[in-house]
């Protein structure tokens, strides 16, 4: 979690979201991208004082807990891997279709962290499109 959460955040201009339907302002819905289309939408960086959310739909490849937090991952190599840090896995298991939504942080060229994040079963309503 980010320290100093009470501090004002810089809102990104709407132009940042052009061509990036999986991304949204904090707590706003984005259109989940599929694993094969997410790489084209990833920004190289965002300002340190900004939060942007990302939504992705894919097959769960990892579900783990440390007793307090849950870690749910989607998207397989060689593509971009996405890890969701959440308080509950909603009974998701590896192989399930899921939608992950949360605060975007790019760890490196092939790894994205969503924290905080919500993981839920995919309902089929447009999830997984570009």
């Amino acid at each position: 979690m980010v320290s100093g959460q009470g501090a004002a955040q810089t809102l990104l201009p709407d132009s940042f979201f052009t061509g990036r339907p999986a991304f949204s302002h904090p707590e706003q819905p984005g259109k989940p991208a599929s694993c094969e289309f997410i790489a084209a939408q990833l920004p190289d960086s965002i300002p340190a004082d900004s939060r942007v959310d990302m939504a992705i739909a894919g097959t769960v490849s990892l579900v783990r807990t440390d007793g307090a937090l849950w870690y749910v991952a989607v998207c397989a190599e060689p593509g971009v891997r996405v890890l969701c840090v959440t308080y509950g896995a909603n009974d998701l298991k590896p192989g399930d279709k899921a939608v992950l939504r949360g605060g975007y942080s790019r760890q490196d060229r092939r790894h994205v962290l969503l924290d905080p994040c919500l993981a839920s079963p995919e309902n089929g309503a447009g999830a997984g499109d570009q």
Side-chain angles (χ1 to χ4, degrees):
M1 298 296 253
V2 177
S3 62
Q5 285 181 323
Q9 295 180 342
T10 301
L11 285 180
L12 295 173
D14 289 339
S15 61
F16 172 87
F17 301 98
T18 302
R20 294 186 173 113
F23 287 83
S24 64
H25 288 288
E27 308 299 326
Q28 300 299 311
K31 182 178 180 182
S34 64
C35 292
E36 53 264 0
F37 290 111
I38 194 61
Q41 294 186 41
L42 297 178
D44 289 329
S45 65
I46 59 169
D49 66 342
S50 296
R51 175 176 161 186
V52 68
D53 283 7
M54 186 183 97
I56 187 155
T59 301
V60 175
S61 59
L62 171 107
V63 178
R64 297 271 193 278
T65 185
D66 62 9
L69 297 173
W70 285 85
Y71 306 91
V72 179
V74 296
C75 305
E77 292 182 353
V80 174
R81 306 255 309 143
V82 179
L83 180 67
C84 170
V85 179
T86 185
Y87 288 108
N90 283 328
D91 296 322
L92 290 168
K93 300 174 289 314
D96 289 349
K97 300 289 186 184
V99 175
L100 310 180
R101 297 176 186 274
Y104 171 81
S105 175
R106 188 147 186 194
Q107 303 300 295
D108 60 35
R109 190 175 72 77
R110 300 210 12 245
H111 296 92
V112 168
L113 179 69
L114 300 180
D115 183 14
C117 180
L118 295 175
S120 57
E122 185 178 53
N123 67 12
D129 295 341
Q130 293 179 340

